[in-house]
Amino acid sequence: MKGNLGSLNAIRKQIKRTQLILILFVTVFMSAGGMFITIRANEREFNDNLMNTSRLITRLYGFTSEYDREQLKEFMDDIVLELSGVDIISIVDVNGRRIYHTHHELVGTQYDGTIPDFSIHNNGFYTEDDIGPSGPQRRTYSAVYDASGKYDGFIMTIMLKSSMMQVTLRIVLLFLFVTIIAIVVELAVSGVLFNRIKKEFISFTEDFEGTKILVDSMRANNHDFTNKLHVILGLIQIGEYDKAASYIQNISMIQKETISRVMNSIENPSFAALIVGKIARASECDVRFILKEGICFHNEDIDIPSEALVTITGNLIDNALDEMNRMQRNFDAVKELTLGVYTKPGSLLITVQDTGGGIPLEIRDKIFELGVTTKGEGHGTGLFHTKQLVQSMGGNISFETEDGCGTCFMVELNR
């Protein structure tokens, strides 16, 4: 049972870890892919916007041939104000002098930057990255011609790299925000789904464990009844027919009453099956199994996994049976195991009392430590794991013992 419980917890943790890794990986991967595609699309949009704006400004500039410098400045300033995605417009005449610039202090100065080569760009427009007085930038050059078709200079429509970085940064931050929100929502949804799956899984495991306990119980009962059949057969063979009939009636009544009492008092099927199985095993071991008066277990009183309940009680009963089987005692001595189970809202008490030899004084203070046992080498894990399991649920386990009289273990759980 300890192995089953450990495997169950390991599977739960593995499922949760895998679920978390998948959520993070898929969300981050999709977000990163979406962000990359959006940034690349935004780069193309920068270029298209600069090209279209440059064409518009070139056409509008054609209407300013009669404007003086002040009129041109006012006209172009109004255009710049209406345009989005453009930081600077610069117009350079055929002599390389700036006749307009968004930064007015550069108007009239000599342009000393890259001279566009329109001979390899037949359409008179092209875009490239360069560095200007305002820093790194992306600019579109457009050729300007006079009324006779003669080359008359060029126009630069510019977007600063710092502005482009701000747009990219906003995209990155937006995707990060969306990613975080998506992860939070997915974790919340997956948490709900995981809890539902966990409940179904636990229910399935409890059913499986209950079936296993019932099989063990049937095996023990089969052995027990085989022994009883031998007694009946012996009585018949020696002609004690009345005693055989009485014996059959007696054991049938006891078995029926015992099972009925357990099933009526213990609502948890796995736990009830465990007790029935341990009663049969006790009979095999020639141990009288006693159920205390008033035993009861109501599911609504306390929330405790069936596998934990079965592990704790099963270990304590097995320890008690092993202890009584280990002791060398005369045949008149009575070997008894007494089980008590009680619940009330929020509380559980389990007591397992035997009439063994008691716990030796020298190991009483460390009986719950790993490897400490009275059974010899290869034992000493049952009580250690039982205490760990009880404490993991906020409970307490204790014992009372007396040399030559026996031991009583008590488990208390409040939730």
Side-chain angles (χ1 to χ4, degrees):
M1 292 182 192
K2 297 191 290 289
N4 291 339
L5 185 60
S7 298
L8 177 60
N9 290 330
I11 291 171
R12 288 177 187 167
K13 291 178 181 178
Q14 185 62 38
I15 291 174
K16 204 164 189 177
R17 281 196 299 267
T18 303
Q19 186 182 43
L20 179 60
I21 291 171
L22 285 175
I23 287 174
L24 292 175
F25 176 78
V26 172
T27 305
V28 171
F29 177 78
M30 294 183 65
S31 180
M35 182 168 59
F36 176 77
I37 293 171
T38 303
I39 291 175
R40 291 295 300 271
N42 213 51
E43 287 283 323
R44 291 193 294 271
E45 187 177 341
F46 288 148
N47 292 341
D48 292 343
N49 184 60
L50 283 173
M51 186 70 72
N52 293 332
T53 302
S54 183
R55 286 173 175 159
L56 173 63
I57 292 172
T58 302
R59 291 193 184 96
L60 293 174
Y61 179 69
F63 298 105
T64 65
S65 57
E66 303 298 326
Y67 286 10
D68 58 27
R69 181 170 294 181
E70 192 62 29
Q71 289 175 320
L72 176 63
K73 182 176 71 174
E74 291 179 0
F75 179 75
M76 296 306 299
D77 283 348
D78 290 339
I79 293 175
V80 172
L81 290 175
E82 295 297 326
L83 295 175
S84 61
V86 175
D87 295 316
I88 297 171
I89 294 176
S90 179
I91 303 175
V92 181
D93 64 17
V94 71
N95 299 315
R97 188 169 296 276
R98 296 183 179 92
I99 60 176
Y100 174 78
H101 197 284
T102 303
H103 299 155
H104 295 167
E105 65 274 11
L106 294 177
V107 175
T109 61
Q110 188 68 29
Y111 174 73
D112 56 358
T114 302
I115 302 299
D117 183 6
F118 293 106
S119 62
I120 58 176
H121 299 280
N122 297 329
N123 60 359
F125 296 89
Y126 73 93
T127 301
E128 67 176 13
D129 291 334
D130 208 336
I131 297 177
S134 301
Q137 52 195 237
R138 181 164 298 176
R139 56 174 66 163
T140 294
Y141 298 99
S142 59
V144 176
Y145 301 92
D146 61 16
S148 62
K150 180 181 177 182
Y151 178 72
D152 196 30
F154 61 91
I155 296 175
M156 291 186 295
T157 307
I158 299 169
M159 188 172 190
L160 298 176
K161 284 296 184 73
S162 59
S163 298
M164 295 170 65
M165 284 298 296
Q166 288 179 3
V167 174
T168 302
L169 181 60
R170 285 197 294 270
I171 293 173
V172 171
L173 292 176
L174 177 62
F175 269 90
L176 286 176
F177 176 75
V178 172
T179 300
I180 292 172
I181 294 298
I183 290 175
V184 171
V185 172
E186 288 170 356
L187 287 176
V189 173
S190 67
V192 174
L193 293 177
F194 179 78
N195 285 334
R196 290 181 181 175
I197 294 172
K198 177 181 176 181
K199 289 180 180 178
E200 293 296 327
F201 187 64
I202 289 175
S203 177
F204 169 78
T205 305
E206 289 179 352
D207 290 342
F208 178 79
E209 190 66 30
T211 302
K212 181 177 179 297
I213 293 168
L214 285 171
V215 171
D216 291 340
S217 175
M218 289 171 66
R219 286 174 180 165
N221 275 299
N222 181 60
H223 192 179
D224 186 40
F225 276 112
T226 299
N227 293 334
K228 289 180 172 61
L229 285 174
H230 289 159
V231 174
I232 296 168
L233 179 60
L235 290 171
I236 292 174
Q237 286 177 338
I238 64 176
E240 297 288 348
Y241 303 113
D242 292 338
K243 288 184 178 180
S246 177
Y247 182 76
I248 293 171
Q249 291 175 353
N250 185 49
I251 61 174
S252 298
M253 181 180 65
I254 292 173
Q255 186 74 7
K256 183 179 179 181
E257 287 180 354
T258 300
I259 294 175
S260 177
R261 184 179 176 194
V262 171
M263 298 307 295
N264 289 332
S265 302
I266 308 297
E267 290 185 355
N268 187 298
S270 298
F271 193 26
L274 171 80
I275 296 173
V276 171
K278 294 305 181 185
I279 290 173
R281 182 170 177 240
S283 180
E284 288 183 41
C285 299
D286 195 27
V287 173
R288 183 185 177 200
F289 197 111
I290 303 171
L291 296 173
K292 279 191 173 182
E293 289 298 325
I295 66 163
C296 65
F297 183 93
H298 299 298
N299 288 324
E300 66 272 14
D301 282 345
I302 190 163
D303 180 21
I304 178 173
S306 292
E307 66 267 24
L309 193 62
V310 165
T311 298
I312 293 167
T313 310
N315 282 344
L316 294 178
I317 292 175
D318 287 342
N319 278 353
L321 292 175
D322 291 344
E323 171 62 19
M324 286 185 284
N325 284 334
R326 187 182 66 85
M327 298 301 296
Q328 297 295 327
R329 309 178 66 176
N330 64 57
F331 292 103
D332 294 330
V334 177
K335 293 190 291 184
E336 293 182 344
L337 187 153
T338 306
L339 173 67
V341 179
Y342 307 96
T343 63
K344 62 181 181 179
S347 298
L348 167 67
L349 173 64
I350 300 172
T351 63
V352 177
Q353 182 175 353
D354 64 60
T355 57
I359 300 173
L361 181 62
E362 61 270 17
I363 66 170
R364 290 179 187 176
D365 292 338
K366 50 185 179 181
I367 191 64
F368 293 111
E369 295 180 10
L370 183 62
V372 176
T373 181
T374 60
K375 302 177 186 177
E377 189 175 349
H379 298 276
T381 60
L383 287 177
F384 171 75
H385 288 297
T386 299
K387 183 174 182 179
Q388 281 194 322
L389 180 56
V390 171
Q391 289 183 334
S392 71
M393 295 185 294
N396 179 60
I397 181 170
S398 59
F399 68 89
E400 294 178 357
T401 187
E402 185 175 347
D403 289 338
C405 294
T407 303
C408 180
F409 281 92
M410 294 155 284
V411 173
E412 298 175 89
L413 186 63
N414 297 296
R415 305 188 70 163

